[in-house]
Amino acid sequence: MARDSFIERGARSRAMALLDSGTMRELVGPFDRVTSPWLAMQHLVTQADDGVIVAKGTLAGLPTVVLAIEGAFQGGSMGEVGGAKIAGALELAAQDNRNGVPTQAVILFETGGVRLQEANLGLAAIAEIQAAIVDLRRYRPVIGVIAGTVGCYGGMSIAAGLCSYLVLTREARLGLNGPQVIEQEAGIAEFDARNRPLIWSLTGGEQRFQTHLADAYVDDDTPGIRAVLTDLFAQGVPVVHRSARHDDFLASLEQVDTTAQAVPQEVRDIYRKGLAS
Ligand code: COA
């Protein structure tokens, strides 16, 4: 009962818990009523913040913007408005740095990727988010957190891969294609989307950490996650970003036997060897 779960919090509560007490200011908040025009046209209920919270404040005294995605709204999927909120906030943070204010960023990923109802507009927004991460991470770290329960998929998994540091819990999932999509496209023999132990053994937080796709593996504990973020920010910009190690990752990937169902331990061994240095 003493545990302060991060996963059980909504996106706004997560952002507030990470920032120094009393410093959070929300930009383009629910009262601005910037909602998706596309969902209403498809007779779907919109949400006043389009499922994305942009929170500005300080973390351990340093200027920080937290972009928190609300997994409970449309699976945290990225549409035109929510995507633009994240990209715009990251672009402003980069501009801050160029103006001498060293602003850093945290992205709380909880997303099924591009919002299927907004198709190409969602894809374009995700591309802008990716470009903005690459711009900002030159000055100050951009740290991604995947806590659960939705996980992080589609183009947003690429955005997570571009972050300076990535923090995962045991409950996190990370993958380019979601389980439902793999099953639909390749068949249930390839991947059974109802087999949750299989999903977590191959794409869960522990496996992704063990295969060097994340930098920290943390408990579902709000103060603990805040402390890890503070430590990672203190390390500054990484000398080599994970995304610059694509050759090492591809060399490891080539060794995975794709003719049979992957075995989690074997995958770990291959990646550990290939990315040890
Ligand atoms: N766009 C719109 N809605 C999405 C979405 C997306 N990209 N991803 C998830 N959702 C919605 C689901 O339709 C569902 O809505 P409902 O509650 O109205 O039925 C809700 O989010 C929760 O998803 P669900 O599949 O029930 O939850 P889950 O925990 O079993 O699985 C995912 C979550 C994200 C793993 C699964 O939805 C998935 O595999 N999505 C596809 C991910 C993907 O490949 N994205 C790339 C898109 S190009």
Side-chain angles (χ1 to χ4, degrees):
M1 288 303 279
R3 192 172 55 99
D4 177 354
S5 169
F6 192 70
I7 295 174
E8 286 172 17
R9 290 171 180 264
R12 188 166 287 101
S13 166
R14 289 181 179 190
M16 195 177 278
L18 292 181
L19 291 168
D20 296 335
S21 175
T23 67
M24 177 173 150
R25 182 165 61 94
E26 191 168 342
L27 308 181
V28 200
F31 296 110
D32 293 310
R33 302 265 161 201
V34 186
T35 60
S36 164
W38 312 105
L39 291 181
M41 282 180 198
Q42 294 165 66
H43 307 293
L44 292 166
V45 176
T46 54
Q47 185 158 296
D49 54 22
D50 202 37
V52 170
I53 284 80
V54 179
K56 190 82 199 298
T58 59
L59 176 62
L62 300 174
T64 305
V65 62
V66 180
L67 295 328
I69 303 170
E70 180 52 73
F73 178 61
Q74 293 288 339
S77 56
M78 281 296 104
E80 185 186 19
V81 169
K85 282 169 72 170
I86 296 178
L90 293 169
E91 285 163 12
L92 283 176
Q95 200 56 44
D96 269 358
N97 280 277
R98 287 188 273 271
N99 292 333
V101 182
T103 307
Q104 55 199 18
V106 179
I107 306 178
L108 303 178
F109 292 99
E110 216 57 83
T111 171
V114 65
R115 185 176 289 162
L116 299 176
Q117 299 89 341
E118 302 196 28
N120 293 351
L121 293 169
L123 279 175
I126 290 176
E128 285 178 14
I129 291 169
Q130 293 166 350
I133 293 172
V134 172
D135 185 18
L136 177 58
R137 75 180 192 181
R138 295 181 295 166
Y139 307 110
R140 285 294 295 152
V142 179
I143 305 183
V145 179
I146 309 173
T149 58
V150 178
C152 180
Y153 291 97
M156 291 303 274
S157 71
I158 300 174
L162 290 169
C163 286
S164 317
Y165 303 103
L166 195 56
V167 177
L168 305 184
T169 65
R170 187 184 61 147
E171 291 78 5
R173 289 177 284 180
L174 173 63
L176 187 60
N177 295 117
Q180 271 91 333
V181 173
I182 302 174
E183 183 186 310
Q184 183 183 305
E185 297 302 316
I188 198 163
E190 176 73 20
F191 208 74
D192 181 350
R194 280 159 306 174
N195 187 343
R196 296 172 87 78
L198 174 72
I199 294 168
W200 261 272
S201 72
L202 286 169
T203 64
E206 189 184 1
Q207 177 75 357
R208 293 314 201 186
F209 174 68
Q210 294 291 349
T211 50
H212 292 268
L213 284 164
D215 306 279
Y217 179 58
V218 297
D219 287 334
D220 172 27
D221 174 60
T222 304
I225 291 175
R226 195 175 187 279
V228 166
L229 292 180
T230 306
D231 284 351
L232 289 171
F233 277 128
Q235 288 179 29
V237 173
V239 180
V240 180
H241 279 99
R242 188 188 339 276
S243 59
R245 301 194 65 191
H246 42 78
D247 284 341
D248 297 336
F249 278 99
L250 285 173
S252 294
L253 182 62
E254 271 173 20
Q255 289 176 49
V256 178
D257 178 6
T258 55
T259 61
Q261 180 68 68
V263 176
Q265 189 58 49
E266 286 173 11
V267 175
R268 279 187 199 194
D269 293 343
I270 290 171
Y271 278 78
R272 268 201 202 133
K273 211 166 131 217
L275 290 130
S277 59

